[in-house]
Structures are given as C-alpha cells and as structure tokens.
C-alpha cells in the first residue's frame, strides 16, 4: 500500500485522488499523524514552503514527489531536503521538468496529468461556440485577455471567479467552483454555479475551448475539454504544445515577452501574447468536426490510467 498526500489546492487534491483511485491506494486530505504512516508516500503538489513541511514530516518514509510549477522556484530548503531524503521526483510536463532542474531539483521521470473523463466515442452536437474557464488566480486572466474576452463575449460561456476584473465584458457567466461560498451565495442564483455535471455539459456543448492564460504547469482543463471533442485554442508554448497537437488544436503565438511574477517561493513565468494575434486567429478558424475527432483520439492517450505508471516507482 502507498499513501498519497497532496497539498491543499483544489486541483492538486483532485489529481491526488485520481492517482489513489486508479492504483487502489489510500489518499489522506485531512489531519493525520505522520508518525503513524510507515508505508511509502507519494507527495503531490507545488514545491513551496508547505511542501517542505510535508516532506520533512515524512523523512522516515520512502518518498516519491509528483510536482508541478509555473516558473522557477527559489526554495533552497527543499533542495536540501531532496539531497537528504533522496526522493524519486516526477514532473507533470517537460516545462515543469526544465523549471525544477533550473531550480536545483533534478527530475527522474515525467508523467503528464490524466483527464478523469473517459473520452467520448463520437463528437456530440455542439451549440456553444467558445468556452472559457479561469480560476481565482489573476495570472489566469492576464491584461491581454480583456480584448479577446470583449471580442467573443456574445458567443462564449465564461466560467470564472468573481475576482476576475473582466467580468463586466462577459455576457454569459457561470460561477466557478473555485470561487468562495460567499460568491456562490451572492451570485449563484443569478448566474448559476459550475459544478461537475454543469462543467461536463459545457465541455460537451462547446466547439472551442479558449485558454487565455500566460502560464500553467500543465493545463488539465484543456485536456478535459478535448475529451468531449472541444477544440482547444492555446498559446504556442510548453506545456500546452506538449499534449495539444496541431492536428487537434489551434495555436496563437507568444510575442517574445517574458515576465516573472514573485509569488511566495515561486517566480511565476508569464509568456505574453498580443490580443490582436488571438483575435486574428479566431476570425480565421472555422469549426471542423474532423479536428474534434482528433481531440478525442488525442485525449485517449491522457486518461487517468496513465497514473498506473507510479506503481513502477514503488516496487
């Protein structure tokens, strides 16, 4: 038996639970006594200060780390812990691997994230042109995204949190599950709340998934959308172009500007783009069901079954 221990972020907990479920392992998300665990542990999260504590608490256990990052990490303490406990370090993308190694954490393996949705066998009927999903972190809606949001507003459904400054430009908004319960109470009745079943309906109904983020460690919602034949429109940088092929997605260009944003021990790396390039692309492309079929085929390579590879590290 392996014990899976995630950091507290919603998306990370979800990935940890999927890993545990696929491998029939135990996943602990609440309070526990580390000394009561003698089994090997799989630690899932961002390489931040809280991860330092988690790793130190399990110095007596055999450890595998499954890490994601959106830029360089200034965490010499975690490097020292890694040199002491000698974990097997797994990254979720080539991009994450490069940034971790730039930070002094040497990666042994790459295992991409897997979608928890079984890819559909056939492309469903589509009645929404664009779907946009952005969580509570401001880097998910960079300044250059405003003009694009304005451009697609009448043809898009926006799933976002109410700290998103561009909500005034959005015609059809649904409150994200990432938002606070207070926002659900204040805005949920008017806008609706995007729970699991609503999200699946939106993925199924949308022709295009419009991702406007300048940074990700992976980009799991893009992969989830592809599982429903929803064609992704993404920035042409890693990690997006690692799992979105030119046959199934559309890319808008990086304009060459890179900005680092201090965020705790992280230096979040923004790869900026020009809104005009995105709008030009949107004006050119047309929905192509053959491309949607390619999305379904591609998504089959990245289901949660990919997580069985973790078993090899605990033999």
């Amino acid at each position: 038996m392996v014990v899976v221990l995630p950091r507290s972020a919603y998306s990370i907990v979800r990935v940890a639970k999927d890993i545990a479920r696929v491998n029939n392992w135990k996943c602990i998300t609440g309070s526990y006594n580390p000394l009561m665990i003698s089994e090997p542990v799989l630690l899932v999260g961002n390489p931040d200060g809280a991860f330092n504590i988690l790793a130190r608490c399990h110095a007596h256990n055999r450890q595998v780390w499954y890490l994601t990052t959106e830029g360089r990490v200034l965490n010499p303490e975690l490097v020292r812990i890694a040199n002491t406990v000698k974990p097997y370090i797994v990254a979720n993308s080539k991009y994450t691997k490069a940034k971790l190694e730039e930070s002094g954490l040497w990666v042994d393996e790459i295992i991409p994230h897997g979608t928890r949705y079984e890819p559909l066998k056939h492309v469903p009927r589509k009645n929404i042109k664009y779907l946009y999903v952005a969580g509570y972190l401001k880097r998910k809606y960079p300044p250059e995204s405003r003009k694009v949001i304005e451009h697609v507003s009448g043809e898009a459904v926006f799933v976002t949190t109410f700290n998103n400054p561009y909500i005034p430009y959005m015609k059809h908004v649904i409150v994200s599950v990432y938002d606070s319960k207070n926002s659900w109470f204040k805005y949920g009745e008017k806008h609706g709340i995007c729970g699991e079943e609503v999200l699946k309906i939106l993925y199924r109904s949308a022709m295009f998934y419009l991702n406007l983020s300048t940074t990700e460690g992976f980009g799991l919602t893009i992969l989830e959308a592809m599982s429903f034949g929803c064609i992704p429109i993404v920035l042409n940088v890693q990690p997006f172009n690692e799992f979105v092929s030119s046959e199934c997605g559309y890319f808008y260009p990086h304009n060459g500007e890179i900005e680092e944003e201090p965020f705790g021990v992280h230096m979040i790396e923004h790869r900026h783009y020009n809104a005009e390039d995105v709008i030009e692309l949107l004006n050119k492309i047309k929905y192509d069901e053959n491309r949607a079929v390619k999305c379904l085929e591609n998504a089959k390579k990245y289901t949660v079954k990919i997580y069985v590879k973790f078993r090899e590290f605990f033999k």
Side-chain angles (χ1 to χ4, degrees):
M1 173 67 75
V2 173
V3 179
V4 183
L5 301 166
R7 287 273 289 102
S8 58
Y10 178 87
S11 57
I12 288 173
V13 170
R14 202 174 69 189
V15 167
K17 287 182 176 179
D18 285 339
I19 294 171
R21 177 171 53 83
V22 168
N23 291 292
N24 198 27
W25 293 339
K26 184 177 182 180
C27 181
I28 300 176
T29 58
S31 300
Y32 68 97
N33 183 348
L35 296 178
M36 297 300 291
I37 297 177
S38 58
E39 301 95 332
V41 293
L42 172 60
L43 309 184
V44 184
N46 305 100
D48 55 13
F51 197 92
N52 294 1
I53 297 171
L54 192 61
R56 280 200 304 265
C57 286
H58 289 280
H60 60 287
N61 300 102
R62 182 182 172 194
Q63 298 184 21
V64 172
W65 297 356
Y66 189 33
L67 298 177
T68 183
T69 187
E70 298 175 3
R72 294 186 300 122
V73 184
L74 308 180
N75 192 352
E77 174 63 18
L78 189 58
V79 174
R80 287 192 290 270
I81 293 170
N83 290 336
T84 302
V85 303
K86 307 294 183 185
Y88 194 83
I89 300 180
V90 183
N92 64 346
S93 65
K94 293 178 182 177
Y95 174 77
T96 290
K97 179 180 187 292
K99 292 301 164 183
L100 290 175
E101 293 188 344
E102 192 177 329
S103 308
L105 293 165
W106 302 105
V107 174
D108 299 288
E109 189 95 14
I110 296 172
I111 297 181
H113 284 327
T115 170
R116 66 193 189 280
Y117 302 123
E118 188 67 29
L120 300 181
K121 294 181 180 179
H122 305 286
V123 177
R125 183 175 297 177
K126 304 288 186 176
N127 54 23
I128 297 171
K129 188 164 186 183
Y130 300 110
L131 175 63
Y132 162 102
V133 179
Y136 59 91
L137 296 171
K138 66 179 183 180
R139 55 185 176 271
K140 306 301 182 185
Y141 34 84
E144 53 262 56
S145 69
R146 181 185 63 81
K147 288 183 179 180
V148 183
I149 288 168
E150 284 187 271
H151 179 76
V152 303
S153 183
E155 300 178 289
V157 172
F158 300 91
V159 178
T160 192
T161 51
F162 272 80
N163 62 335
N164 189 325
Y166 306 126
I167 281 182
Y169 305 100
M170 301 175 182
K171 189 172 181 180
H172 308 292
V173 179
I174 302 178
V175 183
S176 170
V177 294
Y178 285 99
D179 218 331
S180 67
K181 295 295 191 295
N182 186 49
S183 286
W184 293 6
F185 178 76
K186 289 169 64 178
Y187 306 110
E189 185 174 345
K190 177 181 177 182
H191 297 281
I193 298 169
C194 189
E196 183 79 9
E197 292 307 312
V198 173
L199 184 61
K200 288 195 288 187
I201 291 170
L202 293 174
Y203 282 151
R204 179 185 290 269
S205 303
M207 299 177 189
F208 299 102
Y209 183 86
L210 182 57
N211 187 81
L212 299 176
S213 174
T214 55
T215 180
E216 293 283 356
F218 186 80
L220 188 52
T221 56
I222 300 167
L223 187 57
E224 290 176 351
M226 289 166 59
S227 300
F228 292 85
C230 184
I231 300 169
I233 301 170
V234 298
L235 181 62
N236 192 13
V237 295
Q238 291 183 334
F240 308 129
N241 57 20
E242 294 180 40
F243 62 91
V244 177
S245 71
S246 58
E247 292 182 319
C248 68
Y250 290 104
F251 298 98
Y252 53 90
H254 169 38
N255 67 9
E257 181 186 348
I258 297 176
E259 173 195 1
E260 286 192 319
E261 171 200 355
F263 187 78
V265 299
H266 299 279
M267 296 297 292
I268 304 298
E269 184 179 64
H270 298 272
R271 280 77 55 82
H272 288 288
Y273 57 87
N274 297 323
E276 293 75 15
D277 290 333
V278 184
I279 293 170
E280 181 182 354
L281 174 64
L282 298 181
N283 288 337
K284 284 181 180 178
I285 63 176
K286 293 182 179 179
Y287 179 70
D288 177 5
E289 189 167 314
N290 291 328
R291 192 175 286 266
V293 170
K294 292 293 184 182
C295 285
L296 298 179
E297 294 174 355
N298 204 49
K300 289 176 183 177
K301 304 173 188 175
Y302 298 97
T303 70
V304 291
K305 294 174 184 176
I306 203 167
Y307 295 141
V308 299
K309 292 183 179 181
F310 280 102
R311 296 177 191 173
E312 299 174 9
F313 313 143
F314 294 101
K315 291 179 179 178

